Amino acid sequence: MTKALQAAVLLFPGSNREKDVARAITQATGQAPSFVWHDERSLPPGTDLVVLPGGFSYGDYLRCGAIAARARIMDSVRDHAERGGLVLGICNGFQILCESGLLPGVLLRNSDQRFICKFQALRVENAATRFTSAYKKNQVIHVAIAHGEGNYFVDAETTAELNISGRIAFRYCDGFGRADQRANPNGSIEDIAGVFSKNFNILGLMPHPENLIDALTGGEDGLGLFASLADSR
Amino acid sequence: MKARIVVTLKSGVLDPQGKAIEGALKSIGVANIASVRQGKVFDIELDTADGEATQRALHEACEKLLANTIIEDYAIWHD
């Protein structure tokens, strides 16, 4: 039997979804993740997956994720990613990955200026990755979103590149899988909800799949992401 | 030395806060408001009197942290 996926969840002052994501990882892999404080100089040996959880690191001061992106542990995360290690950033974690330059673009204030907290349909755009293999391409999943700054923005050239290379992971859509302005909750360019890095070892997304892992609490559509990661070893 | 850095959104980047403020100014009847863009101001004290060192430090501060140059421009003033 292969060894279970070893995950490390980073903790910044103001992270608040770390236990949710830890529960999802434990449920999918059978192995609880370790927690790593932002001021550490290294990741635990044997780490396969680094998770940047949701929350409000540093109170969203300056720009969301800007200060966390310069934390000491991020040098180790960058090394880990360069070696091909997996990195997952959810919500504030996605903002941190963008601010650190590990993913392209930036998350702006929602176009209607409001904090949004609701169920949202997503369309799986690329199911041929280690993060999404348990889904089918164009599958519609229902997960939670909860953010004030989820309005994804990149220049036109990068958007084209993301499209061509299959680096768009999820798009906001309606219940029928139609991605358009009406289904887009926050103004994100091309309804983008999540993107991959060039080598598909980094995923950042605004929605919270870690909160949809149990039929008793709203559904299991988020579990596929963690099941994919568990199977990726 | 004292310095001031102003960070603003690049033109072309949607600024919903600026738009809302613009709307509010118009709605309270302030005359001649054409448009509003919101930015950030940083007042910084430096422990050097050397102009070149100051310039270098302030540029580094902007590039490394204060501005996200994908969406923002910055301007620097100092004594």
Side-chain angles (χ1 to χ4, degrees):
Chain A
M1 198 182 132
T2 53
K3 199 163 72 64
L5 182 95
Q6 302 288 308
V9 178
L10 304 189
L11 284 177
F12 301 94
S15 299
N16 66 12
R17 299 288 191 117
E18 69 276 6
K19 286 183 181 154
D20 308 50
V21 80
R23 188 181 297 127
I25 288 166
T26 308
Q27 190 171 322
T29 68
Q31 168 92 34
S34 53
F35 292 100
V36 179
W37 185 237
H38 68 99
D39 210 26
E40 296 287 335
R41 289 172 189 277
S42 61
L43 297 164
T47 298
D48 301 305
L49 166 71
V50 175
V51 180
L52 292 83
F56 298 86
S57 59
Y58 295 91
D60 281 349
Y61 294 172
L62 188 61
R63 297 177 305 275
C64 298
I67 297 178
R70 279 86 181 163
R72 185 178 288 169
I73 193 65
M74 291 305 291
D75 290 333
S76 304
V77 176
R78 210 165 275 123
D79 292 344
H80 170 80
E82 270 170 30
R83 288 193 301 268
L86 295 164
V87 181
L88 170 65
I90 301 170
C91 199
N92 187 225
F94 184 20
Q95 295 164 340
I96 296 168
L97 291 176
C98 287
E99 275 285 344
S100 69
L102 284 165
L103 288 174
V106 57
L107 283 312
L108 301 172
R109 187 109 179 109
N110 294 342
S111 54
D112 70 356
Q113 289 279 77
R114 293 202 184 117
F115 188 95
I116 308 167
C117 184
K118 66 177 188 96
F119 268 100
Q120 171 70 45
L122 300 180
R123 194 172 72 203
V124 178
E125 299 291 297
N126 183 348
T129 77
R130 286 183 282 173
F131 294 94
T132 53
S133 59
Y135 297 118
K136 291 186 175 63
K137 187 176 163 63
N138 293 327
Q139 184 179 342
V140 176
I141 61 171
H142 291 86
V143 291
I145 56 169
H147 58 250
E149 284 84 4
N151 180 356
Y152 186 67
F153 176 83
V154 270
D155 60 41
E157 197 182 326
T158 311
T159 309
E161 207 274 317
L162 293 175
N163 270 307
I164 290 164
S165 52
R167 286 172 57 193
I168 297 169
F170 302 100
R171 277 192 163 92
Y172 301 109
C173 67
D174 65 16
F176 302 101
R178 285 183 300 237
D180 59 24
Q181 223 33 60
R182 272 177 310 170
N184 181 336
N186 55 27
S188 289
I189 194 160
E190 292 205 17
D191 316 311
I192 292 171
V195 294
F196 297 110
S197 63
K198 257 193 189 101
N199 297 325
F200 295 90
N201 62 324
I202 308 174
L203 167 66
L205 76 167
M206 286 313 296
H208 289 280
E210 77 276 25
N211 292 125
L212 279 301
I213 59 162
D214 189 330
L216 266 180
T217 51
E220 296 178 318
D221 282 7
L223 198 54
L225 192 141
F226 302 95
S228 305
L229 287 166
D231 280 348
S232 73
R233 281 195 59 86
Chain B
M1 184 133 24
K2 287 185 175 172
R4 171 164 283 186
I5 291 170
V6 174
V7 175
T8 48
L9 283 172
K10 286 181 195 289
S11 61
V13 176
L14 190 70
D15 176 15
Q17 296 189 77
K19 271 270 170 267
I21 295 163
E22 180 186 318
L25 285 173
K26 287 174 177 166
S27 77
I28 58 174
V30 180
N32 298 320
I33 300 294
S35 74
V36 178
R37 305 276 289 169
Q38 184 178 297
K40 296 182 186 127
V41 172
F42 303 90
D43 286 325
I44 298 176
E45 284 185 48
L46 295 108
D47 60 5
T48 174
D50 182 68
E52 205 173 305
T54 295
Q55 273 288 339
R56 205 166 34 237
L58 295 174
H59 273 283
E60 189 180 350
C62 288
E63 290 289 334
K64 285 192 174 168
L65 182 62
L66 299 183
N68 182 332
T69 53
I70 299 173
I71 47 161
E72 293 170 325
D73 292 323
Y74 59 86
I76 296 170
W77 290 270
H78 62 82
D79 294 340

